[in-house]
């Protein structure tokens, strides 16, 4: 797959670069450049990111960072079985529990919420850092919802991190998940309150909390461009026949 010339591979994290030192120099550079493309495209074009991850995997399958990148690329494409296999391989190589929450979420994606809940109660969770523990809580609440246990999902999300006024990287997503669970349970007034709190903490736009809040408040958004087009054509929509005219 083509890689822009300006991508040198030096853009990768220093820890990943250190992992790649076990490879011959030219091979390490090729792998690094593919990993850079995975990171760049994962959100905006997950299918392309997946393609680059497969190239990196073919070149260096014994490097944990490559297996992890392949896992996240597969996960972004909802290839949960494949993602889980890659995450497990990376974990075997490193011994780290960092991937435990996303592995549990893969179990959810595979239709096994009970397995995700088992993982949420495993000893590995106590070894996670605060961000990892919050992520695990989100996954566990999602598993409860998968099983139709809305009240249990709400209770799962109730935590010191949710109650804290301090804004952390996970705060917006935690508040959003709580608001969404409340709304699903028919507790609209409380849901509105927590969507508003999610908006306050969502500094990078990681959720659509503002849209959900507006929806609850009955605010409707119209596209100015669409309105202009409607006025210019007399308010009607063009027919297929009109589109065929020269």
């Amino acid at each position: 797959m083509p890689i822009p010339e300006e991508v040198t591979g030096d853009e990768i994290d220093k820890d990943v670069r250190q992992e790649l030192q076990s490879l011959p120099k030219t091979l390490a550079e090729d792998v690094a450049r593919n990993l850079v493309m995975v990171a760049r495209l994962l959100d905006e074009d997950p299918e392309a990111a997946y393609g680059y991850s497969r190239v990196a995997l073919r070149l260096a399958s014994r490097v944990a960072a490559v297996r992890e990148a392949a896992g996240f690329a597969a996960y972004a494409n909802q290839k949960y079985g494949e993602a889980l296999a890659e995450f497990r391989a990376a974990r075997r190589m490193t011994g780290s529990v960092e991937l435990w929450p996303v592995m549990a979420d893969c179990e959810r994606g595979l239709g096994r919420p009970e397995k995700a809940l088992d993982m949420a109660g495993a000893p590995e969770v106590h070894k996670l850092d605060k961000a990892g523990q919050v992520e695990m809580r989100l996954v566990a609440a999602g598993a409860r919802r998968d099983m139709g246990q809305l009240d249990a999902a709400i209770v799962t999300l109730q935590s010191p991190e949710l109650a804290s006024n301090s804004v952390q990287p996970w705060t917006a997503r935690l508040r959003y998940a709580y608001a969404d669970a409340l709304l699903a349970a028919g507790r609209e007034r409380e849901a509105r309150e927590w969507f508003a709190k999610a908006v306050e903490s969502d500094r990078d736009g990681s959720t659509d909390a503002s849209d959900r809040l507006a929806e609850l408040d009955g605010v409707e958004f119209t596209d100015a461009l669409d309105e202009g087009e409607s006025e210019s054509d007399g308010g009607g929509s063009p027919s297929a026949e009109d589109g065929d005219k020269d």
Side-chain angles (χ1 to χ4, degrees):
M1 296 182 69
I3 299 176
E5 290 184 5
E6 66 269 17
V7 175
T8 64
D10 292 335
E11 302 90 341
I12 61 172
D13 183 85
K14 63 179 181 180
D15 292 335
V16 177
R17 192 180 303 117
Q18 187 173 355
E19 275 194 69
L20 296 179
Q21 287 179 357
S22 62
L23 303 174
K25 186 174 186 297
T26 302
L27 179 59
E29 290 175 354
D30 288 343
V31 174
R33 295 180 74 208
N34 278 282
L35 291 180
V36 170
M37 295 304 295
V38 173
R40 284 189 176 185
L41 296 171
L42 195 59
D43 292 331
E44 63 185 64
D45 190 350
E47 188 173 349
Y50 178 77
Y52 285 106
S53 77
R54 300 307 295 177
V55 174
L57 193 59
R58 188 170 66 248
L59 295 173
S61 63
R62 296 185 179 182
V63 176
V66 171
R67 303 302 290 264
E68 183 175 330
F72 278 109
Y75 179 80
N77 284 276
Q78 300 182 6
K79 299 177 183 290
Y80 298 116
E82 187 176 319
L84 185 57
E86 297 301 341
F87 290 143
R88 283 173 173 166
R91 183 167 180 268
R92 283 196 300 271
M93 293 174 180
T94 64
S96 171
V97 298
E98 183 180 348
L99 296 170
W100 196 253
V102 71
M103 289 169 63
D105 206 39
C106 285
E107 295 287 0
R108 284 186 61 211
L110 291 168
R112 301 193 292 247
E114 297 89 350
K115 178 62 177 175
L117 286 177
D118 287 344
M119 293 179 69
E124 284 82 354
V125 175
H126 301 294
K127 300 176 185 178
L128 295 168
D129 60 15
K130 181 61 68 177
Q133 290 180 3
V134 171
E135 194 65 34
M136 192 72 247
R137 189 177 292 277
L138 287 166
V139 173
R144 290 292 185 189
R145 291 192 63 173
D146 293 344
M147 298 166 68
Q149 301 173 0
L150 275 175
D151 289 341
I154 291 169
V155 171
T156 298
L157 293 168
Q158 292 171 346
S159 62
E161 293 80 20
L162 179 68
S164 174
N165 291 323
S166 173
V167 175
Q168 302 294 336
W170 60 77
T171 303
R173 291 179 59 236
L174 184 58
R175 291 176 175 179
Y176 182 95
Y178 189 58
D180 193 48
L182 288 168
L183 187 60
R187 296 161 61 175
E188 187 172 318
R189 182 184 59 78
E190 294 169 88
R192 191 205 174 282
E193 176 187 345
W194 283 97
F195 276 127
K197 290 182 178 181
V199 170
E200 291 173 3
S201 56
D202 194 357
R203 296 169 178 171
D204 58 0
S206 61
T207 74
D208 64 347
S210 59
D211 292 341
R212 300 293 299 278
L213 183 61
E215 184 180 330
L216 282 175
D217 288 342
V219 177
E220 293 185 9
F221 296 99
T222 56
D223 192 315
L225 181 59
D226 289 345
E227 284 188 344
E229 290 176 349
S230 295
E231 290 173 0
S232 66
D233 65 15
S237 58
S239 66
E241 184 176 283
D242 292 333
D244 291 337
K245 294 179 180 177
D246 293 328

